[in-house]
């Protein structure tokens, strides 16, 4: 498993990462989500040792990671802003990377290239953005890494390719007990595949939990009561947000929804009460709203 | 263990892969060499000449330079950097593979040039060139790697490579200017002498850049220096790479320390260059100009490097510290040299003394010359024809002159004076003075101080050997004497053969006239420092009057020998005028006999 303890980094006087703590398990896809410029890419580049942290440590299966540690040889990083060496084809790049990654599989590479319908002899720099992403992904999976870091990997891919992409990834995670950290803005995509998410904002991880637990802990309810609803408080729940459409109220509840319903029953006569699931995007907006992000109204 | 850290297991294959990736670039490079060094010269000249080989060498330098910057330019692009650094091979291993790839690339090109040179019309051995360019290229490859690590932009990396490669020369330029400052603040100190002494004894740039070995055989020092240089530059690469902040990729320079070094270097070199070109003004005006130019160039370079016209507080602090250090240097130099500039040795401490007007002393007798900073006891003894005095009275005269110069720097003529004491303790004490030729206050004490020396036998024998050195004159195998009489109206030439002249009589006449001339001539200092006849009737600065030299009849006497004398001369030239009455009378007698 990959563990980050109290990692901090300053770019000159600006603190980009502040006491980051992350725990990504094996056979798990870890979703790194966050506001723009919150430091997701910077964090991934720290894990792969492109950047060096000012303080804090990164461990993989108990071994501390630095540039010269052996375990990092099993890490693979696919960056958002892709680079391919000048005049290299996918075949050429595979041959080069084969010299670097000890587990690089030719068989897997060929199968994946075929699966994604990629021309292995075409100059990589002449491919479309989506094809480049696929090429980079093919190489990453063919390398059979133990830790795979994917930065905005599905950005620019069409829905069909995305589906193929996630299928390959999930299959590989299950088969090889790989740890995957994937950062993305497309929260709907991550919603379906992540085991765990870390929500980043302004250089800190404001929440890190299994997606399942997060969803259990935060719910949206809609209800109608016999008189005007006024916010209520309870020890085991917290009303994060309230809105009203017609006579129906919508509340986002953190904590025990049953307790909330009981507290509601004590004060009002409930006419209608429904519990609605929240998706990752809604959770994300709610969490960031809690720290004051995106709650401002535009005043013209 | 160390090798494992520096090179991955499959280094050989990786190097081959990198070389293969460079194959097109290598082929183009070979094509450039073959076309410009072989094909075009043969087409145009019909042969390959050595200048074509030199062009090839220059091309190799340019190709290798570009190739190195290209190899390490992943340090300057965030995308590339992330790609390469994320791969399971350490930074130092990547750099090492690139260095070796570039060295192999360079060796291939040098090998091709070596083969070509076998078919060229060469006046020197290719080995002589390779003695210089191999270490330059080798260290150059390492320096370009270092420069790419230090910078975050490829163009700046290229500039930085050149700056780093020539850094010892930049330091030398700054040190040279410091000596110039010292020359201005300390009487008797000469920047050229100090610099020459510094370069010859301490700052051995000739060893550092290997040009010492062009005309000399390669010794063990050649390899020792090369190894030290490689270890030094490579250590910098190693340690700086470990501390590189990759997030600063895109900045011109990614290390603040190096940025500060470059800023201060430019802030020094720009005003030094400007003030050296102008080379005018006194110490105060030069100092103020230096400060203004330094501040301006510092601001510009910091603005460029920071990509902002707002200068940070730390930059201002650095400049202030730099200026304080410079100011302190001047003050300390001034104080430290005070005791030296007024120092004149005791006569009893001096073994011999040289007096002249040039920082370069040439001995025709030895057929070799030395810079004054390299003048030593051995040369002073061996070079019998230079103005070195050993007699106590003459040393005293020079000491008196020296004291007078310290008290009063005014003079009436082109006023360079060099005094070099050979002390009994084995040391040399060298002083250089540029006297103020525009001074109105000259009162002639320097001439008075040196008058005894000019009238001494030692001076006369050294300066006018034919007249005063009997042994020398008697051993001359004279063939003829040519006398040219110049007046405002005409020039007459007479040739007198050996058997037509009584040499003893002629020399006695000259001796009487020269004794009178040396006893009464006012320009003693000129006579002493130049060591030759001074045209007596030119403008006499001392007396502030002018005599029309066109009204004077002068006699140029050329004494020609059949063979070269012990001082490597085969002639002696003397100039006299109509006031050398004994000599003129004898010449007239000779001409009269000749005309009969």
């Amino acid at each position: 498993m990959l563990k980050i303890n109290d990692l901090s980094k300053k770019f000159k006087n600006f603190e980009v990462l502040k006491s980051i703590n992350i725990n990504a398990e094996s056979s798990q896809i870890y979703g790194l989500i966050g506001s723009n410029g919150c430091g997701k890419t910077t964090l991934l580049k720290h894990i792969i040792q492109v950047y060096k942290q000012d303080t804090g440590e990164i461990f993989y299966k108990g071994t501390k990671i630095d540039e010269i540690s052996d375990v990092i040889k099993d890490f693979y990083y696919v960056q958002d802003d892709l680079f391919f060496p000048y005049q290299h084809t996918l075949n050429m790049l595979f041959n080069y990377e084969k010299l670097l990654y000890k587990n690089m599989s030719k068989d897997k590479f060929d199968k994946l290239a075929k699966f994604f319908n990629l021309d292995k002899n075409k100059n990589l720099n002449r491919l479309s953005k989506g094809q480049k992403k696929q090429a980079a992904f093919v190489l990453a999976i063919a390398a059979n890494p133990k830790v795979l870091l994917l930065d905005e990997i599905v950005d620019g891919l069409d829905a069909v390719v995305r589906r193929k992409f996630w299928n390959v990834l999930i299959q590989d995670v299950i088969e090889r007990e790989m740890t995957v950290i994937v950062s993305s803005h497309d929260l709907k995509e991550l919603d379906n595949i992540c085991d765990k998410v870390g929500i980043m904002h302004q250089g800190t991880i404001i929440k890190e939990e299994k997606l399942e637990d997060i969803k259990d802990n935060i719910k949206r309810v809609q209800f109608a009561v016999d008189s005007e609803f006024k916010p209520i408080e309870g020890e085991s729940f917290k009303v994060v947000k309230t809105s009203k459409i017609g006579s129906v109220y919508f509340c986002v509840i953190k904590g025990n929804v049953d307790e909330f319903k009981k507290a509601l029953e004590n004060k009002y006569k409930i006419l209608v009460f429904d519990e609605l699931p929240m998706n990752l995007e809604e959770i994300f907006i709610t969490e960031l709203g809690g720290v004051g992000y995106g709650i401002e109204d535009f005043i013209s | 263990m160390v090798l494992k850290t520096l090179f991955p297991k499959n280094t050989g294959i990786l190097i081959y892969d990198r070389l293969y990736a460079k194959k097109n670039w290598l082929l183009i490079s070979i094509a450039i060499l073959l076309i410009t060094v072989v094909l075009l010269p043969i087409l145009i000249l019909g042969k390959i000449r050595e200048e074509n080989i030199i062009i090839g060498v220059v091309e190799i330098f340019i190709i290798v330079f570009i190739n190195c910057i290209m190899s390490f330019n992943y340090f300057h692009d965030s995308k590339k950097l992330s790609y390469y650094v994320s791969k399971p091979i350490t930074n130092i291993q990547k750099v090492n593979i690139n260095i070796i790839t570039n060295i192999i690339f360079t060796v291939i090109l040098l090998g091709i040039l070596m083969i070509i040179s076998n078919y060229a019309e060469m006046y020197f051995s290719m080995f002589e060139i390779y003695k210089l360019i191999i270490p330059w290229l080798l260290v150059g490859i390492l320096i370009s790697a270092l420069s790419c690590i230090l910078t975050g932009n490829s163009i700046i990396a290229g500039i930085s490579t050149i700056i780093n490669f020539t850094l010892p020369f930049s330091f030398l330029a700054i040190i040279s200017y410091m000596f110039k400052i010292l020359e201005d603040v300390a009487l008797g100190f000469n920047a050229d002498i100090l610099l020459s002494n510094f370069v010859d004894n301490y700052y051995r740039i000739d060893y550092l850049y290997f040009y010492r070995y062009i005309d000399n055989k390669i010794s063990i020092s050649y390899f020792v220096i090369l190894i030290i240089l490689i270890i030094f530059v490579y250590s910098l690469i190693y340690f700086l790479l470990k501390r590189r902040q990759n997030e600063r990729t895109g900045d011109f320079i990614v290390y603040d320390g190096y940025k500060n070094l470059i800023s201060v270097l430019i802030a020094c070199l720009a005003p030094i260059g400007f003030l050296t070109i102008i080379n005018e003004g006194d110490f105060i005006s030069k100092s103020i100009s230096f400060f203004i130019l330094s501040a301006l160039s510092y601001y510009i370079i910091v603005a460029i490097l920071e990509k902002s016209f707002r200068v940070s507080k730390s930059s201002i602090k650095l400049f202030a510290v730099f200026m304080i250090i410079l100011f302190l240097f001047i003050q300390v130099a001034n104080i430290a040299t005070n005791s030296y500039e007024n120092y004149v040795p005791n006569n009893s401490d001096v073994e011999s003394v040289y007096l002249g007007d040039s920082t370069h002393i040439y001995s025709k007798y030895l057929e070799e010359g030395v810079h004054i900073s390299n003048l030593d006891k051995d040369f002073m003894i061996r070079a019998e024809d230079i103005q070195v005095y050993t007699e106590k009275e003459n040393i005293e005269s020079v000491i008196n002159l020296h004291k007078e110069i310290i008290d009063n720097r005014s003079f009436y003529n082109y006023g360079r004076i060099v005094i070099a004491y050979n002390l009994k303790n084995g040391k040399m004490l060298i002083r250089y003075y540029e006297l103020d030729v525009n001074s109105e206050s000259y009162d002639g004490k320097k001439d008075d101080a040196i008058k005894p020396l000019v009238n001494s036998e030692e001076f006369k024998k050294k300066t006018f050997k034919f007249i005063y050195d009997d042994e020398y004159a008697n051993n001359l195998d004279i063939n003829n004497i040519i006398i040219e009489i110049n007046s405002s109206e005409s020039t007459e030439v007479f040739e007198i053969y050996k058997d037509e002249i009584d040499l003893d009589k002629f020399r006695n006449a000259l001796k009487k006239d020269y004794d009178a001339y040396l006893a009464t001539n006012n320009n003693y200092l000129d006579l002493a420092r130049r060591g030759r006849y001074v045209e007596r009737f030119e403008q006499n600065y001392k007396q502030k009057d002018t005599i029309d030299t066109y009204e004077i009849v002068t006699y140029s006497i050329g004494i020609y020998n059949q063979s070269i004398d012990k001082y490597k001369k085969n002639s002696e030239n003397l100039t006299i005028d109509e006031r050398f009455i004994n000599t003129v009378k004898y010449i007239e007698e000779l001409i009269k006999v000749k005309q009969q």
Side-chain angles (χ1 to χ4, degrees), chain A residues 25-42:
Chain A
E25 305 290 341
S26 298
S27 308
Q28 211 179 57
I29 297 177
Y30 186 103
L32 193 61
I33 59 176
S35 48
N36 288 333
C38 69
K40 298 186 292 292
T41 301
T42 305

Side-chain angles (χ1 to χ4, degrees), chain B residues 347 353 389-400 449-454 456-458:
Chain B
N347 197 331
V353 64
Y389 307 104
T390 54
E391 285 174 10
K392 280 273 165 199
E393 297 76 19
N394 290 336
I395 293 170
E396 191 62 36
S397 293
V398 177
I399 287 172
N400 289 337
I450 209 69
K451 184 177 176 181
L453 181 136
V454 170
S456 71
E457 281 304 305
E458 193 178 19

Side-chain angles (χ1 to χ4, degrees), chain A residues 9-12 45 48-52 54 67-68 70 72-77 79 81-88 92-93 95-102 139, chain B residues 4-5 10 13-14 17-18 20-21 24 77-94 241-248 251 256 259 306:
Chain A
K9 177 74 177 183
K10 272 186 180 176
F11 285 179
K12 288 191 178 173
K45 285 185 178 178
I48 200 69
Q49 296 292 299
V50 173
Y51 296 162
K52 291 167 193 122
D54 297 333
E67 194 212 350
I68 55 164
D70 274 342
I72 203 167
K73 289 177 182 170
D74 288 319
F75 285 34
Y76 198 107
Y77 171 57
Q79 54 186 327
D81 203 0
L82 287 171
F83 166 78
F84 297 113
Y86 180 64
Q87 285 193 336
H88 270 56
M92 285 164 72
L93 196 56
N95 288 330
Y96 170 63
E97 294 202 351
K98 201 174 174 217
L99 300 173
L100 305 173
Y101 293 97
K102 59 178 189 262
L139 286 168
Chain B
K4 196 185 162 192
T5 317
N10 53 350
I13 305 168
L14 280 167
D17 180 80
R18 291 298 85 199
Y20 187 76
N24 290 336
D77 182 324
S78 179
K79 279 198 294 185
K80 275 189 187 180
L81 185 78
S82 296
Y83 175 79
Y84 285 111
V85 176
S86 71
K87 297 300 157 198
I89 171 172
T90 61
N91 278 336
I92 192 69
Q93 288 173 341
K94 272 188 281 289
L241 197 58
K242 273 183 174 289
R243 286 156 185 76
R244 192 174 199 272
Q245 292 177 305
N246 289 334
E247 62 272 16
R248 291 182 67 176
D251 285 4
D256 288 334
K259 191 160 66 182
E306 296 276 357

Side-chain angles (χ1 to χ4, degrees), chain A residues 118-234:
Chain A
L118 289 169
D119 182 351
K120 291 187 284 186
N121 295 312
K122 192 172 178 183
N123 187 335
L124 284 164
N125 288 307
R126 290 188 187 156
L127 298 178
S128 71
K129 186 185 173 187
Q131 285 175 315
K132 282 180 183 174
K133 290 265 177 187
Q134 291 169 61
F137 181 69
V138 165
L139 286 168
I141 298 295
N144 287 316
K146 287 180 180 157
V147 175
L148 179 59
L149 309 171
L150 302 170
D151 194 1
E152 302 289 352
I153 192 71
V154 288
D155 186 25
L157 300 181
D158 65 50
V160 176
V161 176
R162 279 185 201 189
R163 182 53 53 92
K164 288 166 99 172
F165 176 91
W166 293 126
N167 283 345
V168 171
L169 187 67
I170 290 164
Q171 199 178 321
D172 222 54
V173 168
I174 294 165
E175 282 174 7
R176 296 195 310 104
E177 299 183 348
M178 178 169 63
T179 303
V180 177
I181 298 182
V182 54
S183 85
S184 179
H185 285 109
D186 195 337
L187 303 181
K188 281 175 191 158
E189 288 292 327
L190 292 186
D191 203 354
N192 298 321
I193 58 125
C194 281
D195 300 292
K196 197 174 187 179
V197 290
I199 301 173
M200 277 189 86
H201 180 61
Q202 291 181 346
T204 53
I205 296 280
I206 56 171
K207 192 171 194 72
E208 187 202 41
E209 236 175 309
K210 284 187 177 173
L211 189 56
E212 209 175 300
D213 294 343
I214 292 179
K215 286 187 175 178
D216 278 349
N217 194 41
I218 187 161
K219 293 246 168 62
R220 188 169 49 179
V221 294
Q222 62 175 21
F223 57 88
V225 288
D226 57 343
S227 57
E228 188 164 345
F229 170 74
K230 286 186 179 161
I232 51 175
E233 289 181 3

Side-chain angles (χ1 to χ4, degrees), chain B residues 345-552:
Chain B
N346 290 323
N347 197 331
S348 56
D349 298 331
V350 181
E351 197 169 305
S352 58
V353 64
Y354 167 81
L355 181 68
D357 68 342
S358 169
T359 51
H360 189 267
I361 306 163
Y362 183 74
S363 165
K364 194 158 181 158
Y365 173 61
L366 296 176
E367 290 183 324
E368 63 181 87
V370 291
H371 191 268
I372 186 72
S373 58
N374 293 325
L375 183 64
D376 57 13
K377 186 178 179 176
D378 178 55
F379 189 86
M380 284 170 81
I381 292 169
R382 287 190 302 120
E384 292 178 20
D385 54 341
I386 65 168
Q387 303 305 112
V388 174
Y389 307 104
T390 54
E391 285 174 10
K392 280 273 165 199
E393 297 76 19
N394 290 336
I395 293 170
E396 191 62 36
S397 293
V398 177
I399 287 172
N400 289 337
L401 170 72
H402 191 173
K403 285 176 182 168
E404 163 59 19
I405 289 168
I406 290 169
D407 292 341
N408 174 17
R409 292 181 74 178
S410 70
F411 193 52
Y412 53 85
N413 208 333
Y414 182 69
R416 279 186 179 173
I417 292 181
V418 173
I419 303 171
Y421 297 99
N422 167 28
L423 301 175
K424 285 177 181 169
N425 61 10
K427 290 182 179 173
M428 294 292 300
L429 180 74
I430 298 165
R431 290 291 184 266
Y432 172 90
Y433 299 97
E434 283 192 13
L435 302 180
D436 182 5
V437 293
N438 298 317
S439 170
E440 293 293 323
S441 63
Y442 180 72
D443 58 6
K445 282 184 182 169
K446 291 178 194 66
D447 282 310
D448 295 343
I450 209 69
K451 184 177 176 181
L453 181 136
V454 170
N455 284 284
S456 71
E457 281 304 305
E458 193 178 19
F459 173 83
K460 286 175 182 175
K461 272 192 174 181
K462 270 190 180 294
T463 315
F464 306 107
K465 285 187 177 62
F466 174 74
I467 305 167
Y468 291 99
D469 190 337
D470 294 340
E471 192 188 338
Y472 169 79
N474 291 335
N475 285 327
L476 289 177
D477 186 11
I478 292 169
N479 184 46
N480 63 334
I481 295 171
I482 293 175
I483 299 165
E484 191 178 298
I485 305 170
N486 294 300
S487 68
S488 57
E489 287 151 9
S490 65
T491 297
E492 291 176 280
V493 180
F494 299 96
E495 187 174 10
I496 315 284
Y497 291 99
K498 188 184 174 183
D499 54 356
E500 293 172 337
I501 188 168
D502 181 346
L503 277 177
D504 290 336
K505 199 175 174 185
F506 183 50
R507 283 182 62 228
N508 279 334
L510 278 166
K511 204 178 284 182
K512 276 183 194 169
D513 290 335
Y514 262 90
D515 279 344
Y517 162 68
L518 295 174
T520 56
N521 187 291
N522 292 321
N523 301 337
Y524 296 116
L525 186 53
D526 268 351
L527 269 165
R529 69 200 177 101
R530 292 182 185 177
R532 61 178 169 82
Y533 172 84
V534 177
E535 286 75 6
R536 184 178 179 179
F537 301 109
E538 285 186 358
Q539 190 177 37
N540 188 325
Y541 287 83
K542 184 180 177 183
Q543 293 173 349
K544 302 282 180 195
D545 60 357
T546 304
I547 300 167
D548 186 357
T549 54
Y550 291 105
E551 295 302 315
I552 305 299

